[in-house]
């Protein structure tokens, strides 16, 4: 009897779910996002080889492009790509495409140097703790001591 009740509940959910999805606008969003796994089918081979769809925000598809030369090329093909995408979609559409370059890992001078830990001499620590002892708030005093300690202990090679 429990299995019959469970199957009945499942049938009711299956009957209700399409209407809820349609009424909430989820059906269009799910269809829009079907672009991601089907990207190689949606666009031509060259486009698929040099791009990757990232996200869809308010009807705009964000696409990562391999480099600035390809970004420029795809800007010229934007209307063609929009037509291709919207032809693939049956009940939804994409209004715009934004092309972006991959986030570059920026190297700073700090990244070029390795940092190693070298504990400061015990007498220096005691001396600084004495200097900081006039700070009445214990949490502030401890935070200052920790900050000083780390500033002395982290040594660049």
């Amino acid at each position: 009897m429990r299995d019959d009740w469970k199957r009945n509940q499942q049938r009711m959910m299956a009957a209700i779910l399409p209407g809820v999805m349609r009424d909430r606008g989820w059906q269009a969003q799910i269809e829009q996002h079907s672009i991601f796994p089907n990207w190689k089918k949606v666009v031509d081979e060259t486009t698929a080889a040099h791009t990757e769809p990232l996200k869809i925000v308010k009807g705009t598809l964000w696409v990562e492009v391999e480099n600035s030369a390809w970004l420029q090329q795809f800007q010229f093909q934007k209307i063609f790509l929009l037509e291709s995408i919207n032809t693939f979609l049956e009940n939804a559409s994409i209004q715009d495409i934004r092309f972006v370059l991959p986030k570059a890992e920026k190297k700073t001078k700090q990244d070029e140097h390795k940092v190693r830990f070298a504990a400061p001499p015990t007498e220096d620590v005691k001396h600084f703790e004495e200097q900081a002892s006039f700070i009445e708030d214990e949490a502030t005093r401890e935070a200052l001591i920790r900050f000083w300690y780390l500033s002395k202990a982290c040594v660049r090679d």
Side-chain angles (χ1 to χ4, degrees), residues 33 45 54:
H33 285 82
E45 189 177 316
L54 296 176

Side-chain angles (χ1 to χ4, degrees), residues 18-144:
V20 171
M21 287 180 59
R22 183 188 60 248
D23 294 345
R24 300 272 184 177
W26 297 340
Q27 194 172 23
Q29 288 179 349
I30 289 171
E31 186 180 5
Q32 283 179 335
H33 285 82
S34 71
I35 292 170
F36 296 103
N38 295 302
W39 188 243
K40 290 179 180 178
K41 296 174 189 172
V42 175
V43 297
D44 63 89
E45 189 177 316
T46 303
T47 301
H50 299 285
T51 62
E52 182 179 345
L54 296 176
K55 61 184 176 180
I56 298 172
V57 179
K58 296 181 181 178
T60 299
L61 173 64
W62 291 76
V63 177
E64 184 177 83
V65 180
E66 189 175 295
N67 58 42
S68 58
W70 281 110
L71 187 141
Q72 184 66 33
Q73 178 66 27
F74 292 126
Q75 285 292 353
F76 293 126
Q77 296 178 1
K78 187 177 192 174
I79 293 172
F80 171 76
L81 290 171
L82 267 173
E83 288 174 1
S84 178
I85 291 166
N86 286 326
T87 298
F88 175 80
L89 300 173
E90 294 177 14
N91 299 311
S93 65
I94 298 294
Q95 286 76 42
D96 195 13
I97 302 175
R98 298 284 169 96
F99 299 104
V100 295
L101 294 173
K103 289 184 179 178
E105 293 182 25
K106 295 181 181 178
K107 266 195 165 182
T108 64
K109 289 184 180 179
Q110 186 178 11
D111 293 336
E112 294 171 4
H113 301 287
K114 291 187 178 182
V115 177
R116 64 179 170 83
F117 180 81
T122 307
E123 58 272 2
D124 289 354
V125 175
K126 287 182 181 179
H127 179 68
F128 188 79
E129 286 174 344
E130 288 173 15
Q131 288 179 330
S133 65
F134 74 93
I135 299 173
E136 293 179 13
D137 182 49
E138 184 178 350
T140 303
R141 182 175 60 250
E142 291 298 319
L144 178 63

Side-chain angles (χ1 to χ4, degrees), residues 137-154:
D137 182 49
E138 184 178 350
T140 303
R141 182 175 60 250
E142 291 298 319
L144 178 63
I145 292 169
R146 279 193 309 272
F147 176 75
W148 175 87
Y149 186 89
L150 287 174
S151 72
K152 297 295 182 182
C154 295

